[in-house]
Amino acid sequence: MADAAEEPVDEAAGDEAEAPALPDIKTRIEWFNDWEESTRDNQVNARRDRYYVDGHQWSDDDLEILKERHQPPLVKNYIAPKVNFICGEEIRKRVDPIARPRTPQHEDAARAATDALRYVEEEQHFDRVRSAVLRNMLVEGYGGALKEVEACPDGQGGVMYKHRLRHIQWDRLFYDPHSRDPDFSDAKYLGVVVWMDLNDALIAFPHAAGAIEAAVAKDIGESGSTTEDSPRRWIDKKRDRVKFVEMYDQFGKDWYRSTFTLGNYIDEPERTAYLDEQSEHSVCPLKMASCYVDQEGNRYGIVRMLVSPQDEINKRASKALHLLSVRQVIAKQGSIPDPVKFQSELAKPDGYAEVGQMTSLSGADPDVIISQTGDLAQGHVAMMGQARADIDRIGPSAAQVPDLPESASGRAVIARQQAAAQEMGSVFDYLLNWTLSIFELDWLCIRHPEYGWTEEKWLRVTDDQE
């Protein structure tokens, strides 16, 4: 046994056991480009879903066809009220953070933690950010927010830290396209992409002026971005704009933050400043959540399922109104002196149309037959009602539960609303998980050894004025 303990150590094996190096900038750019290429079609659909909520539900090609037919482009928007209904449910179900003691000896500590979390919640306008994230989940399919702690002067020569929770627009978020979990917990990387004017970028990143100017000097053309309001490349020569990527990627058990543009780092990769409960590993400050995920990893919201029946409603309503406004005419050649004027007069409520010599309008062989199209319009109206029922069956709707009498109690009204929103239980569960992740991140920031609350802090609590 003594001989075994005195065996020499292989120094070469110790060198091989060194930790692997972090991914380089080329790898990170490849990750970002992978996301762009993998989610191209889904981003186009997400933008279309937003258009439908805003009432823009006819394509340019369809509008041209309707214009040639003199057919009205009707829009009966049933999607926006459904989304607003769900957002109203979120407002009604808003929650405040609360810390529970595990033992009676920790009751005072739990109350202090609750007060601290609620103070931070109000400081960073959490309720407003949560509503914005939910709306992105319902419409585009996913949303997120970035936790930040900002150093500010305290007016006494010192520094105070303020908590910020910044909502990131859905089309400025990117993620690992191989992720499948609704909360992105299996994502290798997450991030934010922004475009900045060159002058603003040089002011924001003075330490990286050389890297920015080097990127601007390159003209790489198209890079595949699907964002319509953004140039499809890293550099926009027309406005001297540069695309910057702020990436958070996991390496081992730690999360790293880096900022880069084409081929150059703006901020080198470093561990995030947010540490876990044991202060051993860093965590990601960007928290995201999605509504639904298909087998290919595409994120989508409830609007995606409503587009098809909404199209049917608009097209059938437009067609029905058009059929009720026109008449079909079958005439022998030469029996109508001016066919255009004849059709124009028929379209008027008090029109007067003349025809040439004829045997009989109601005989066995009339020269002119005017056919009413009301029966066709009724068919479109009936099918439109079926499409409306299809929309009501997707997501919450008042049509899913029976009407209540005017004398119904408030409890009955609440039960009716809960029954209508029951189908969205999984979505609210995903939102609740996102909410808990933000509260946990707030608590980690409060306990942080550098910019956390390391001293006694007084929190002002308002009461009645009297």
Side-chain angles (χ1 to χ4, degrees):
M1 296 297 293
D3 294 339
E6 295 176 359
E7 290 181 358
V9 178
D10 188 357
E11 296 180 359
D15 294 338
E16 293 178 357
E18 292 182 359
L22 292 172
D24 57 13
I25 187 171
K26 181 180 179 180
T27 302
R28 288 186 166 89
I29 291 178
E30 289 177 353
W31 287 347
F32 177 77
N33 290 337
D34 182 29
W35 168 80
E36 279 193 330
E37 295 298 329
S38 301
T39 62
R40 181 192 302 273
D41 294 337
N42 190 55
Q43 291 234 358
V44 172
N45 291 332
R47 189 170 296 279
R48 178 208 59 190
D49 296 342
R50 169 58 64 179
Y51 285 153
Y52 269 66
V53 173
D54 295 337
H56 306 293
Q57 300 178 356
W58 290 93
S59 67
D60 293 339
D61 294 338
D62 288 339
L63 290 175
E64 286 295 329
I65 294 174
L66 295 183
K67 185 177 179 180
E68 294 177 0
R69 297 177 182 172
H70 302 285
Q71 184 175 331
L74 296 183
V75 174
K76 296 181 177 294
N77 194 345
Y78 292 105
I79 295 180
K82 188 173 290 289
V83 172
N84 293 335
F85 182 96
I86 302 173
C87 292
E89 281 293 297
E90 182 273 329
I91 294 175
R92 188 177 66 85
K93 295 179 178 179
R94 283 177 176 172
V95 296
D96 292 323
I98 183 171
R100 299 290 187 185
R102 293 190 178 275
T103 64
Q105 291 78 11
H106 295 90
E107 290 184 357
D108 291 340
R111 281 194 293 268
T114 299
D115 293 339
L117 287 171
R118 292 185 177 181
Y119 177 86
V120 170
E121 177 196 7
E122 294 178 0
E123 183 179 42
Q124 63 190 10
H125 305 289
F126 172 76
D127 288 339
R128 184 179 62 188
V129 175
R130 173 179 145 123
S131 297
V133 170
L134 175 63
R135 185 170 289 272
N136 285 147
M137 292 171 59
L138 297 173
V139 180
E140 292 88 8
Y142 60 93
L146 180 63
K147 175 70 177 184
E148 299 172 327
V149 179
E150 179 183 355
C152 303
D154 59 0
Q156 300 178 358
V159 177
M160 62 182 298
Y161 295 95
K162 290 188 176 181
H163 291 249
R164 297 284 185 266
L165 186 63
R166 180 159 56 96
H167 169 243
I168 308 297
Q169 293 294 336
W170 72 274
D171 55 353
R172 295 296 178 258
L173 292 168
F174 70 91
Y175 52 89
D176 182 357
H178 303 288
S179 170
R180 294 294 184 272
D181 289 345
D183 60 353
F184 297 87
S185 59
D186 60 340
K188 172 69 176 178
Y189 58 88
L190 305 171
V192 181
V193 54
V194 296
W195 280 89
M196 294 181 65
D197 290 336
L198 177 58
N199 293 334
D200 295 337
L202 293 175
I203 295 174
F205 308 111
H207 60 283
I212 296 174
E213 292 174 353
V216 173
K218 299 179 182 179
D219 186 4
I220 62 170
E222 303 286 332
S223 72
S225 175
T226 58
T227 308
E228 292 183 359
D229 63 346
S230 304
R232 295 187 177 184
R233 49 182 173 265
W234 286 80
I235 309 298
D236 177 17
K237 294 289 187 180
K238 293 182 179 179
R239 279 190 52 184
D240 283 338
R241 294 202 300 169
V242 186
K243 180 164 68 176
F244 293 95
V245 173
E246 181 179 349
M247 178 175 287
Y248 297 89
D249 56 274
Q250 189 176 21
F251 188 76
K253 295 184 178 180
D254 292 298
W255 281 83
Y256 289 80
R257 175 191 178 276
S258 60
T259 306
F260 56 87
T261 185
L262 172 63
N264 296 282
Y265 276 121
I266 304 301
D267 293 319
E268 294 282 343
E270 61 180 357
R271 287 208 319 167
T272 63
Y274 309 88
L275 304 178
D276 59 15
E277 287 280 353
Q278 290 75 31
S279 298
E280 294 180 357
H281 301 289
S282 57
V283 299
C284 181
L286 178 60
K287 299 299 181 181
M288 297 171 56
S290 57
C291 189
Y292 303 114
V293 187
D294 65 14
Q295 293 182 350
E296 297 180 355
N298 294 317
R299 316 275 171 162
Y300 65 97
I302 186 177
V303 176
R304 190 73 53 87
M305 299 180 288
L306 302 175
V307 169
S308 181
Q310 179 66 66
D311 281 341
E312 183 177 0
I313 289 175
N314 291 339
K315 292 180 179 180
R316 292 194 181 280
S318 177
K319 189 66 175 179
L321 180 59
H322 185 59
L323 290 173
L324 292 173
S325 304
V326 298
R327 298 179 179 88
Q328 295 178 346
V329 178
I330 303 175
K332 288 184 178 180
Q333 186 175 6
S335 61
I336 300 177
D338 189 346
V340 176
K341 182 179 179 181
F342 185 84
Q343 285 287 84
S344 177
E345 290 296 327
L346 285 183
K348 299 178 182 179
D350 56 348
Y352 172 74
E354 294 182 349
V355 297
Q357 288 185 340
M358 53 193 297
T359 303
S360 173
L361 281 176
S362 59
D365 186 20
D367 293 340
V368 179
I369 300 176
I370 301 176
S371 176
Q372 301 292 335
T373 57
D375 55 338
L376 296 177
Q378 291 300 323
H380 283 288
V381 171
M383 294 298 293
M384 184 177 64
Q386 181 62 40
R388 171 68 189 278
D390 292 340
I391 285 185
D392 287 339
R393 282 194 292 267
I394 300 174
S397 172
Q400 294 176 323
V401 290
D403 293 333
L404 295 176
E406 296 182 358
S407 59
S409 64
R411 186 179 297 275
V413 173
I414 294 176
R416 184 176 187 270
Q417 292 175 345
Q418 292 176 345
Q422 186 174 3
E423 187 176 339
M424 300 303 298
S426 62
V427 177
F428 281 113
D429 190 45
Y430 298 149
L431 181 66
L432 178 60
N433 290 336
W434 178 87
T435 301
L436 292 176
S437 69
I438 295 296
F439 290 163
E440 291 173 357
L441 195 56
D442 292 340
W443 181 241
L444 295 180
C445 291
I446 292 173
R447 297 177 63 252
H448 195 276
E450 179 181 350
Y451 51 77
W453 295 2
T454 57
E455 299 179 356
E456 185 179 67
K457 188 178 183 67
W458 285 88
L459 303 179
R460 183 172 66 90
V461 179
T462 59
D463 201 349
D464 295 337
Q465 297 295 330
E466 299 180 357

